Amino acid sequence: MAIEVRDVNKSFGTTPVLRDVSIDVKSGSLTALLGPSGGGKSTLLRVIAGLEQPDTGTVRISGVDATRLSPQRRNVGFVFQHYAAFKHLTVFRNVAFGLEIRKRPKDEIRKRVMELLELVHLEQMADRYPSQLSGGQRQRMALARALAVEPEVLLLDEPFGALDAQVRKELRTWLRRLHDEVHVTTVFVTHDQEEAIEVADTIVVLADGEVKQVGSPAEVYDNPADPFVMRFLGPVTEIGGNLVRPHDIEISAGPVEGGTAATVSRVVRLGFEVRVELTVEGRDAWVQVTRGFAEQLALTPGDVVNVRPAPGARSLTLAAV
Amino acid sequence: MAKHGLRVIAIAYLFFLLVLPVGLIVWRTFGDGLGPFVEALTSASAVHAFQVTLTVALWAVAANTVFGIGTAILLVRHNFPGKRLLNALIDLPMAVSPVVVGLALILVYGKFAPVGGLLESWGVQVIFSTPGMVLATVFVALPLVVRAVVPVLEELGDEQEQAAHTLGASRLQTFLRITLPGIRWALAYGVVLCLARSLGEYGAVAVVSGRLVDQTQTLTLFVEERFQNFDQPAAFAAATALALIAVITLLLTKFLRPKG
Ligand SMILES: Nc1ncnc2c1ncn2[C@@H]1O[C@H](COP(=O)(O)OP(=O)(O)O)[C@@H](O)[C@H]1O
Ligand SMILES: [Mg+2]
């Protein structure tokens, strides 16, 4: 294991922020810490980096107990949401920082920094200052800077959170490819489930300071541990006291086995997909179908149809309220 | 119309308060050419006063720079009991009259006071000597560096410092390579203000120095003493020199400000 967090508790004042958190991060993996804002993701990441001290519990990095080690000695790479670029240093000097601290020979530093700048596609920007870069470029610089010292683990706190949607998507794909190239154990924080599912090979769902579930993106999406995780990872709707994914529901014109009668209240076309809003047993629900399917059934508001979970669909029974 | 009136009032106000008096000093100084000015400033007493002023000011600036950076970091980066009190105390010298500062120092460090007596027995004379004048100057110029640095340090945030730590930098390395360059313009601004205040200080230094001519006489004390002794050329020449220093610092601060 590259990172082992055991029974970590952390409070700010009287507010508990992490509660008995234990996670294992496999060497070479790309793990997402996913959860709603305020859930303690940043705090956990900062505890791993040594930027916060846990009240109780331990952190081991590459098998070594790092709980009492200062961040200076943990050899972790940390990338901040707002880049934390050294404003008074050029891109080259930013990336060289960790190597200069380690007093590496000048020509070795030059070689390594230029390699890294090539890796993050900033070789043309070496002599610029951070203020002359775009947000995406600054974040790539920050990444190169963190990678320069060959960290045991790379920690990224909402690395794309401050970027606009387009750049965000590009960088996501790019991070995945970079990880396939560099293989450094990476943990990144995000509150965007799509980002976590697309980029990570393991997802840790953290909410209210507790680990709710750990698993591959498919596991967490298909077999959510509880209604909270199910809701957080994707769209859900409620039919017959069960929480179901809206694309996991079948609509048929006639009665079917295990089906429930429903009245169509609205049909919304969203390009390729169609969102069918229904009333089932007096409650609002919705189903996602393809455009072709909606046209085939000629669904219009007021129609009475039958709905049932598709075979193999995952659903969670909600406790009766 | 109202705008015009305001402008006239403002200009007249500044003219009678600032331009006229300073202009007259310069006029009187150079009325008989540059010769008397140079002569007055190169007299043994004047040169000595310059030296005393410089010595006291440099020590005071050095002390306030170190204290100022340290306190600013303490106030911005750390939480501790008594932080608000410290924050309030730093501005105290702005509110207290320098004369009171001088008297208070005599009460503590005078020959017949407990602390002063102890120091005296070790051969250190504070009052009526350079250490006392440095103390007084440090006191009156105390807030300047702190107040210049604090807002910039706050704006800088601590993420760059944390990034440096995770990259392997020690506290000292982080301070020298990240924090100090981050606050350098604000620090320079504070230091220049502090220097100006130290060079121009009169009240507190007047009390603790004992005004010993050719011994503890600073430039401001020299001006006053020459003036009292009807040596107006010397008084005006030294006053002009002080005003010139003030103008230079003003220009320096204008130059430093936008970058801070
Ligand atoms: N330094 C701090 N002092 C006090 N409270 C904090 C501090 N850092 C975080 N918190 C609180 O801890 C909780 C979790 O914060 P955080 O770990 O940043 O969550 P996330 O990154 O998941 O949004 C929040 O309620 C936040 O207000
Ligand atoms: Mg966060």
Side-chain angles (χ1 to χ4, degrees):
Chain A
M1 287 298 157
I3 307 171
E4 293 160 79
V5 175
R6 283 290 165 277
D7 306 318
V8 161
N9 282 280
K10 171 83 187 168
S11 303
F12 288 112
T14 54
T15 326
V17 174
L18 295 177
R19 291 188 267 194
D20 286 325
V21 171
S22 296
I23 60 169
D24 287 324
V25 178
K26 267 203 245 113
S27 298
S29 69
L30 178 49
T31 301
L33 267 183
L34 173 68
S37 160
K41 305 180 297 292
S42 297
T43 307
L44 178 56
L45 204 68
R46 293 168 61 82
V47 163
I48 296 173
L51 295 170
E52 299 286 355
Q53 275 292 316
D55 299 335
T56 61
T58 57
V59 175
R60 298 173 76 84
I61 296 174
S62 301
V64 178
D65 187 353
T67 317
R68 300 283 152 220
L69 280 186
S70 69
Q72 186 196 344
R73 312 204 176 284
R74 289 197 190 194
N75 203 24
V76 297
F78 201 100
V79 174
F80 296 81
Q81 178 172 357
H82 299 285
Y83 329 121
F86 300 145
K87 292 200 181 81
H88 61 291
L89 299 178
T90 59
V91 170
F92 183 95
R93 294 284 311 282
N94 262 273
V95 177
F97 188 87
L99 300 169
E100 286 179 3
I101 291 288
R102 285 165 177 72
K103 303 219 159 43
R104 295 282 166 76
K106 271 225 158 56
D107 38 343
E108 186 196 318
I109 294 182
R110 168 150 285 278
K111 185 162 165 284
R112 175 106 182 103
V113 171
M114 289 320 286
E115 270 171 26
L116 280 160
L117 287 180
E118 229 163 89
L119 186 72
V120 300
H121 308 305
L122 286 177
E123 60 271 35
Q124 307 297 325
M125 309 283 173
D127 296 324
R128 295 219 188 162
Y129 283 89
S131 60
Q132 299 167 306
L133 302 183
S134 72
Q137 289 171 333
R138 273 182 228 181
Q139 199 55 299
R140 297 206 306 262
M141 179 195 82
L143 204 62
R145 182 176 73 184
L147 287 172
V149 297
E150 293 175 18
E152 308 265 355
V153 295
L154 184 61
L155 308 172
L156 307 112
D157 191 357
E158 310 235 9
F160 313 133
L163 304 170
D164 59 58
Q166 185 61 33
V167 183
R168 234 182 129 110
K169 284 218 156 134
E170 279 169 30
L171 277 191
R172 256 189 222 173
T173 328
W174 177 80
L175 175 66
R176 179 72 242 183
R177 280 211 303 269
L178 181 82
H179 182 263
D180 294 340
E181 247 175 84
V182 186
H183 290 304
V184 57
T185 311
T186 305
V187 180
F188 77 101
V189 162
T190 178
H191 63 260
D192 178 345
Q193 92 285 352
E194 209 181 291
E195 188 165 292
I197 290 172
E198 189 181 321
V199 179
D201 43 44
T202 308
I203 294 181
V204 176
V205 183
L206 192 73
D208 298 328
E210 287 178 36
V211 176
K212 300 287 181 190
Q213 192 172 0
V214 182
S216 71
E219 275 164 14
V220 189
Y221 188 86
D222 291 334
N223 289 317
D226 59 28
F228 170 82
V229 176
M230 184 157 182
R231 284 202 173 93
F232 197 77
L233 265 106
V236 289
T237 191
E238 223 183 291
I239 285 182
N242 287 319
L243 212 53
V244 192
R245 299 261 182 241
H247 52 72
D248 270 352
I249 298 171
E250 284 180 347
I251 303 182
S252 46
V256 283
E257 198 189 317
T260 317
T263 313
V264 177
S265 49
R266 212 156 86 96
V267 179
V268 190
R269 286 165 199 282
L270 304 161
F272 167 71
E273 290 164 0
V274 176
R275 179 186 162 103
V276 183
E277 297 180 3
L278 311 146
T279 318
V280 190
E281 291 164 347
R283 306 185 75 143
D284 289 334
W286 65 281
V287 178
Q288 183 189 314
V289 296
T290 63
R291 190 166 178 163
F293 184 79
E295 276 166 8
Q296 198 185 323
L297 281 190
L299 291 172
T300 40
D303 288 357
V304 177
V305 292
N306 268 273
V307 292
R308 69 169 185 193
R314 318 283 173 167
S315 66
L316 281 178
T317 309
L318 289 172
V321 183
Chain B
M1 208 49 223
K3 221 159 117 191
H4 252 54
L6 264 178
R7 203 178 297 171
V8 169
I9 292 173
I11 290 174
Y13 184 77
L14 280 181
F15 180 79
F16 283 106
L17 216 66
L18 198 77
V19 181
L20 189 61
V22 175
L24 273 181
I25 285 187
V26 175
W27 174 255
R28 293 290 280 276
T29 308
F30 296 111
D32 299 324
L34 217 57
F37 174 70
V38 174
E39 199 177 302
L41 286 186
T42 46
S43 74
S45 293
V47 169
H48 190 267
F50 259 115
Q51 283 169 349
V52 174
T53 302
L54 266 185
T55 310
V56 169
L58 289 183
W59 278 111
V61 167
N64 272 339
T65 302
V66 174
F67 170 86
I69 296 172
T71 311
I73 289 178
L74 205 61
L75 284 177
V76 177
R77 295 280 188 266
H78 298 269
N79 270 316
F80 53 93
K83 178 165 158 172
R84 289 164 66 123
L85 184 69
L86 177 65
N87 203 359
L89 278 180
I90 284 169
D91 291 326
L92 194 66
M94 286 295 181
V96 176
S97 162
V99 178
V100 177
V101 174
L103 282 176
L105 286 175
I106 289 185
L107 274 183
V108 179
Y109 296 102
K111 217 174 205 166
F112 305 107
V115 181
L118 188 68
L119 288 171
E120 189 88 24
S121 69
W122 294 340
V124 183
Q125 190 194 347
V126 177
I127 301 302
F128 304 147
S129 153
T130 310
M133 294 158 76
V134 172
L135 274 182
T137 311
V138 165
F139 194 106
V140 296
L142 191 76
L144 297 170
V145 174
V146 184
R147 291 297 168 225
V149 171
V150 160
V152 177
L153 208 53
E154 263 166 3
E155 196 196 297
L156 196 65
D158 55 2
E159 283 202 342
Q160 289 186 50
E161 291 164 13
Q162 293 179 356
H165 281 311
T166 62
L167 290 167
S170 66
R171 275 165 174 270
L172 182 65
Q173 283 171 321
T174 303
F175 172 74
L176 293 176
R177 287 169 181 252
I178 303 299
T179 317
L180 207 51
I183 59 170
R184 61 191 159 184
W185 294 114
L187 182 62
Y189 179 73
V191 166
V192 169
L193 278 186
C194 180
L195 182 66
R197 183 77 178 84
S198 304
L199 292 173
E201 172 52 22
Y202 175 79
V205 167
V207 177
V208 297
S209 70
R211 304 169 186 231
L212 308 173
V213 177
D214 289 346
Q215 286 182 41
T216 62
Q217 193 175 55
T218 63
L219 211 51
T220 48
L221 299 177
F222 176 81
V223 171
E224 206 260 0
E225 181 254 336
R226 288 290 92 199
F227 189 74
Q228 297 295 339
N229 290 314
F230 306 105
D231 184 1
Q232 295 202 351
F236 287 140
T240 301
L242 279 169
L244 269 178
I245 293 171
V247 169
I248 291 169
T249 45
L250 200 70
L251 289 177
L252 266 180
T253 54
K254 281 271 178 286
F255 172 72
L256 292 172
R257 188 116 222 205
K259 296 180 184 170

